Amino acid sequence: MAAVADGAAVVDAAGSFAWRCKDFEKVGATIAVTPCDVVEEADITFSCVADPQAAKEMVFGNCGVLHCPSLEGKGYVEMTSIDADTSHDIVEAIGGKGGRYLEAQIQGSKTQAEEGTLIILAAGDRSLFDDCQSCFKAMSKNSFYLGDIGNASKMNAVLQVVGGVSLAALAEGLALADRAGLSQADLLDVLALTPLASPHLILKGRAMIESSYSTHQPLTHMQKDLKLALGLGDALEQSLPLTATTNEIFKHAKRLGYANHDVAAVYIRARF
């Protein structure tokens, strides 16, 4: 299912779940059945789905973008967290039919998306990046153009490494404090006064203490991004031992049933 509005499109991979498009419809969007239908009606299409495989399905799958008779002059913006190889595959396909392609990776949570304060990391067609500024300003506080295709995906992977390892370290620190008979709340209060202080870590730390795992950033998405980062490291022969260990910690949390909970639920794996 997909929605088209004002010359731009937002693609939803949920298929039969028409209710996902209802909010768009209420503000004037037109509902279309397939990705191909959306691209035919829109000047610029924004795709944001679950993972690299889903992103490929939107383009190469049945009734996907490539089934459009012509993409001449059309813009396609991939906002899914994907790897550089997938992005190169998509740009070759889109460009081969006369279209323009931009990868625009998102940094931020559900709350930041609702507030319009995401950070967008873009790479690819510079003219399309410029054409997207009005849309980017509606959903983000900053957008960065990083050059060649693949650079945005790589930058996103690097940032997710830092974020994932930090969350795992925080979870282990809280678990250790608890086992040592220390107040976890005191730990966060002290941490907030040190050079290590970060609003994000303090927020996630309080969620860990309160066992409050309402989803703002799904744990499964973090684990997927860590996996993509490890793939990038392998391709570049860059050793990532901390990332590899952190990935296993998040995988274990998924197996414990917390895949669709917030990333703060990694604490469950550290605690036991």
Side-chain angles (χ1 to χ4, degrees):
M1 186 63 64
V4 185
D6 298 330
V10 179
V11 180
D12 187 336
S16 61
F17 296 101
W19 59 270
R20 292 181 181 270
C21 291
K22 290 301 182 183
D23 288 342
F24 292 103
E25 191 174 23
K26 289 176 182 177
V27 294
T30 300
I31 304 300
V33 177
T34 71
C36 179
D37 293 335
V38 171
V39 174
E40 287 186 336
E41 295 293 330
D43 297 323
I44 300 174
T45 302
F46 293 86
S47 169
C48 188
V49 290
D51 53 39
Q53 184 57 43
K56 286 184 177 180
E57 284 295 320
M58 297 298 289
V59 176
F60 301 100
N62 185 35
C63 297
V65 173
L66 293 186
H67 285 270
C68 294
S70 174
L71 296 177
E72 194 67 39
K74 299 282 189 179
Y76 192 80
V77 183
E78 184 56 79
M79 305 191 81
T80 307
S81 180
I82 58 177
D83 56 281
D85 288 343
T86 296
S87 199
H88 279 291
D89 289 343
I90 295 175
V91 71
E92 288 179 8
I94 298 291
K97 296 195 70 171
R100 299 182 296 160
Y101 175 75
L102 187 74
E103 57 174 8
Q105 305 282 278
I106 301 169
Q107 282 286 312
S109 66
K110 177 182 176 182
T111 299
Q112 289 169 308
E114 292 171 345
E115 295 173 346
T117 58
L118 297 168
I119 296 172
I120 295 175
L121 310 172
D125 191 302
R126 180 60 196 243
S127 68
L128 182 53
F129 174 77
D130 293 338
D131 290 344
C132 287
Q133 283 307 301
S134 61
C135 294
F136 286 165
K137 287 177 182 177
M139 64 181 83
S140 70
K141 60 181 178 180
N142 281 298
S143 59
F144 294 87
Y145 181 75
L146 302 176
D148 295 337
I149 287 294
N151 285 353
S153 296
K154 294 172 185 176
M155 182 68 80
N156 184 65
V158 172
L159 289 169
Q160 293 300 83
V161 163
V162 176
V165 171
S166 298
L167 284 171
L170 175 63
E172 287 198 358
L174 285 169
L176 179 60
D178 186 52
R179 185 62 62 93
L182 300 173
S183 165
Q184 293 176 315
D186 286 347
L187 171 60
L188 288 185
D189 288 342
V190 173
L191 181 64
L193 299 174
T194 72
L196 297 174
S198 145
H200 177 68
L201 287 182
I202 299 302
L203 180 67
K204 295 304 178 186
R206 299 205 185 283
M208 292 176 186
I209 292 174
E210 297 167 4
S211 299
S212 177
Y213 304 133
S214 297
T215 308
H216 294 277
Q217 181 183 8
L219 186 145
T220 188
H221 288 184
M222 174 62 80
Q223 191 273 315
K224 179 257 296 181
D225 287 341
L226 291 170
K227 180 181 177 181
L228 293 177
L230 289 171
L232 177 61
D234 285 344
L236 299 174
E237 296 187 352
Q238 171 63 47
S239 177
L240 299 172
L242 292 178
T243 306
T245 299
T246 300
N247 184 51
E248 292 302 317
I249 291 171
F250 275 87
K251 281 167 61 178
H252 193 184
K254 283 176 61 177
R255 290 196 298 272
L256 292 173
Y258 290 88
N260 295 316
H261 290 70
D262 190 73
V263 288
V266 71
Y267 177 66
I268 297 296
R269 165 59 180 79
R271 182 179 178 183
F272 298 106

